[in-house]
Amino acid sequence: MGLMSPEQFKASLNDGRVLYYKGEKIDDVANHPELSVCVESMAVDYHMAHDPKYADLAVVYDQKLGENISRYFHVPEDANDLLKMLDLIIEGTRMGDGYIPLAHDIGADALNAISITAHAMDNKDYIERIENYRNYLKKEDLAVVAAVTCVKGDRFLRPSDENQEHPDTYVRVVDKNEEGIVVRGAKAHISGAAYSNEFFVLPCRAMTEEDADYAVAFAVPANAKGIKQVARPVKTKISEHEFPIERPVRVITDSLIIFDDVFIPWERVFLCGEWQHAAMMVYNFALMHRRTGSAYRIPLTEQLVGVAQAIAEYNGVTRAPHVREKITDLIIYLETLKALARSACQEPVMYGGIPVPNPVTTNIAKYHFAHNYHDAVKIVQDLAGGLLVTAPTYKDYTHPDLSEDLDKYLVGKAGIPTEHRLRMFDLIRRLTRSEFEAIVLHGEGSMQAERMTIYAEARKVLKECKKIAEELAEIK
Ligand SMILES: Cc1cc2nc3c(=O)[nH]c(=O)nc-3n(C[C@H](O)[C@H](O)[C@H](O)COP(=O)(O)OP(=O)(O)OC[C@H]3O[C@@H](n4cnc5c(N)ncnc54)[C@H](O)[C@@H]3O)c2cc1C
């Protein structure tokens, strides 16, 4: 079939999937008045693949298949491939006004993590299955997301611990036969699942022998029998009290996916019972995915720097030393993120024949973004001033009795129209809304998960630094 057009992608979603949104069962996600906005955000990937401007980034010619495929499904060969993927994610997210399109990127992270694990296990069946599945994705250009995070129940207990409320807090195998396996359980927060063709399901933690039934990875179509998903509510319109904007609203939902005894044929199973390898699979996914996470935070950080500079100018305060200091902090925040994300790709490590972004740097990149995000927002809100929350609305501003007064009294620096200032307040409110704070902290794993990986992966650096110290102290 080759590269899907945005229209083909939208049509492909009318597949009988079982999806609930705001208490309603949704029959046609692509034509739903609200969810269609999210589908359009996801379709950005498909637009890019057909836009000659992005041809070098978004599309790769596959020699074996003799056709163009999405870069996301191409096996990265070197640092240059990782950098191209980084730039592709950044550009896609810029096109999505700060929202990553999601049609392929996180799925590609899962695809590569499964492939690396299969090679490390030296399991010929799994290697063959994942290669066949990769070719299927390349040929059909399907949207695929990664369902990793289980609902988990009591976080301190293992999946198989009998003190868990029930045995299904982590996705597990409940039956198997010659044809395949049957799985039960639920995955939470799965971004883009409501309008994805397929899901990659991976274990979300290390497993012990007792947890063997929970060490399972597979790919499944979104409309498979027994799958039910609930998408979280999102705002798909700007409020009528804000200044109207012509550009489309971009937003993505995340789903709770319930697997109620879903049958998975063997050719789609990539881990089943090999509990020793579950940790490696989730670890490799996290490494890939934190590179993706750092990349798509760059456009959001650019927006924060942009609104801070704009509102400081509109308020006439750019010459104040503390304002320059604060904007300098934001520039350091952005440029450090960019440098870390690029460096992680430039100095990869090879796992299972695939270059993986540098584990230390890629985790520092994601941690740096999440750890400093609230401070960055604080600067933007500080520079904006109180009108950020008290400014009269667009409807007041355009009211014939008020517009002249509001234009006169809400002006900032001379020469800058009052409307520009008010529009900027609208944008800052949208950009710094509180829901982003939790998204930033938890998306791609908690900050503690990043710190643990940094410490574990920095063994070599620690050893070298200790050697330097001992040499200086002349400890023989
Ligand atoms: C907007 C958004 C999108 C997401 N998209 C996806 C997606 O597409 N696919 C996907 O698979 N996942 C996705 N996630 C899930 C994300 O990776 C998780 O939210 C994250 O791993 C944290 O897990 P949790 O939400 O269950 O929180 P918890 O695990 O409950 O964490 C809450 C706190 O408890 C701590 N904690 C948890 N367990 C332990 C423990 N055993 N010991 C000590 N401390 C512990 C954590 O460090 C954290 O501080 C998304 C999350 C968000 C918010």
Side-chain angles (χ1 to χ4, degrees):
M1 182 173 152
L3 295 169
M4 261 207 269
S5 69
E7 289 67 35
Q8 285 169 321
F9 163 62
K10 287 176 214 166
S12 74
L13 300 174
N14 197 356
D15 58 2
R17 66 188 56 212
V18 180
L19 167 68
Y20 291 82
Y21 179 69
K22 293 188 175 174
E24 257 182 66
K25 189 160 177 287
I26 308 300
D27 289 328
D28 184 359
V29 62
N31 289 306
H32 182 268
E34 291 194 7
L35 291 172
S36 58
V37 175
C38 307
V39 173
E40 287 294 348
S41 303
M42 189 107 150
V44 163
D45 254 353
Y46 292 102
H47 282 286
M48 280 184 96
H50 288 85
D51 185 339
K53 192 171 146 201
Y54 299 110
D56 182 47
L57 271 190
V59 177
V60 174
Y61 182 74
D62 189 287
Q63 298 285 354
K64 273 198 196 148
L65 295 180
E67 60 181 292
N68 281 337
I69 59 160
S70 164
R71 173 174 295 283
Y72 287 108
F73 299 140
H74 168 67
V75 183
E77 287 165 17
D78 51 24
N80 192 40
D81 272 343
L82 294 183
L83 283 168
K84 286 233 161 136
M85 186 95 117
L86 182 84
D87 287 333
L88 174 58
I89 297 166
I90 295 172
E91 284 305 325
T93 312
R94 281 190 186 133
M95 267 182 89
D97 287 349
Y99 278 89
I100 184 171
L102 285 175
H104 301 104
D105 36 72
I106 301 181
D109 293 336
L111 179 65
N112 290 329
I114 291 173
S115 178
I116 292 169
T117 312
H119 279 93
M121 292 167 77
D122 200 20
N123 183 314
K124 305 261 176 315
D125 282 345
Y126 289 155
I127 292 173
E128 194 183 328
R129 285 178 201 169
I130 192 66
E131 280 323 299
N132 288 342
Y133 187 69
R134 186 188 287 272
N135 281 333
Y136 171 66
L137 291 176
K138 282 179 181 177
K139 285 187 202 152
E140 301 296 318
D141 195 20
L142 297 172
V144 54
V145 295
V148 182
T149 311
C150 285
V151 289
K152 296 188 283 201
D154 185 328
R155 271 73 177 142
F156 249 66
L157 301 180
R158 306 215 63 80
S160 59
D161 195 303
E162 59 186 22
N163 293 313
Q164 287 279 16
E165 181 73 20
H166 56 74
D168 303 325
T169 53
Y170 290 75
V171 170
R172 67 180 174 127
V173 178
V174 290
D175 200 5
K176 19 174 131 150
N177 58 32
E178 279 187 359
E179 317 269 286
I181 60 174
V182 177
V183 295
R184 188 185 302 159
K187 295 277 185 184
H189 329 284
I190 310 309
S191 306
Y195 20 83
S196 184
N197 302 113
E198 299 257 326
F199 311 146
F200 264 125
V201 177
L202 272 65
C204 77
R205 59 177 293 167
M207 301 288 174
T208 61
E209 195 169 358
E210 294 73 42
D211 302 322
D213 288 342
Y214 299 85
V216 60
F218 54 90
V220 62
N223 63 352
K225 191 163 172 269
I227 291 186
K228 189 174 4 175
Q229 47 169 323
V230 189
R232 80 166 164 112
V234 286
K235 256 182 87 181
T236 52
K237 278 193 193 123
I238 62 158
S239 137
E240 57 176 342
H241 298 290
E242 291 178 286
F243 281 79
I245 51 170
E246 280 174 18
R247 52 198 313 118
V249 170
R250 299 296 190 192
V251 69
I252 292 278
T253 55
D254 313 282
S255 291
L256 175 75
I257 307 178
I258 297 164
F259 297 86
D260 189 7
D261 291 0
V262 178
F263 173 73
I264 315 290
W266 282 116
E267 65 265 24
R268 282 170 164 266
V269 177
F270 311 118
L271 190 77
C272 184
E274 300 90 342
W275 57 272
Q276 306 92 326
H277 299 282
M280 184 202 287
M281 195 177 274
V282 64
Y283 190 77
N284 287 329
F285 171 74
L287 289 185
M288 304 281 186
H289 189 39
R290 287 183 191 144
R291 180 275 316 268
T292 303
S294 319
Y296 72 78
R297 304 309 190 188
I298 290 171
L300 176 63
T301 310
E302 289 168 342
Q303 292 175 4
L304 288 175
V305 176
V307 292
Q309 177 64 20
I311 204 65
E313 282 178 23
Y314 298 177
N315 287 346
V317 294
T318 44
R319 273 172 301 150
H322 81 96
V323 173
R324 290 187 174 188
E325 284 297 306
K326 285 168 183 161
I327 290 182
T328 307
D329 284 344
L330 288 181
I331 296 167
I332 293 172
Y333 179 49
L334 169 64
E335 294 301 327
T336 306
L337 176 63
K338 281 162 63 176
L340 286 166
R342 296 203 89 73
S343 160
C345 296
Q346 281 158 343
E347 292 181 24
V349 292
M350 293 301 287
Y351 287 166
I354 293 184
V356 171
N358 186 283
V360 176
T361 333
T362 201
N363 274 282
I364 299 178
K366 171 63 207 353
Y367 178 79
H368 162 76
F369 172 77
H371 184 64
N372 295 301
Y373 174 78
H374 292 70
D375 286 342
V377 166
K378 188 166 113 187
I379 291 175
V380 172
Q381 291 173 336
D382 174 34
L383 297 181
L387 275 180
L388 182 60
V389 282
T390 65
T393 64
Y394 163 72
K395 292 224 158 161
D396 300 310
Y397 179 70
T398 49
H399 194 289
D401 298 349
L402 293 172
S403 61
E404 209 174 305
D405 281 338
L406 295 187
D407 238 350
K408 177 177 171 187
Y409 290 112
L410 296 182
V411 75
K413 189 178 168 64
I416 294 175
T418 301
E419 181 184 332
H420 292 193
R421 201 165 169 236
L422 295 179
R423 276 186 175 274
M424 198 52 69
F425 289 134
D426 276 357
L427 176 61
I428 296 174
R429 271 194 296 275
R430 289 197 292 272
L431 257 185
T432 60
R433 62 181 186 264
S434 59
E435 94 183 84
F436 280 152
E437 294 174 6
I439 292 176
V440 162
L441 287 182
H442 294 294
E444 302 91 42
S446 68
M447 288 193 291
Q448 192 53 27
E450 284 136 28
R451 290 184 72 93
M452 280 162 58
T453 315
I454 293 165
Y455 185 75
E457 289 286 349
R459 277 184 306 262
K460 196 166 150 236
V461 178
L462 285 175
K463 208 170 151 192
E464 282 166 6
C465 293
K466 185 174 151 228
K467 192 164 160 251
I468 292 169
E470 286 176 343
E471 275 171 16
L472 286 174
E474 301 198 351
I475 294 168
K476 303 272 188 298

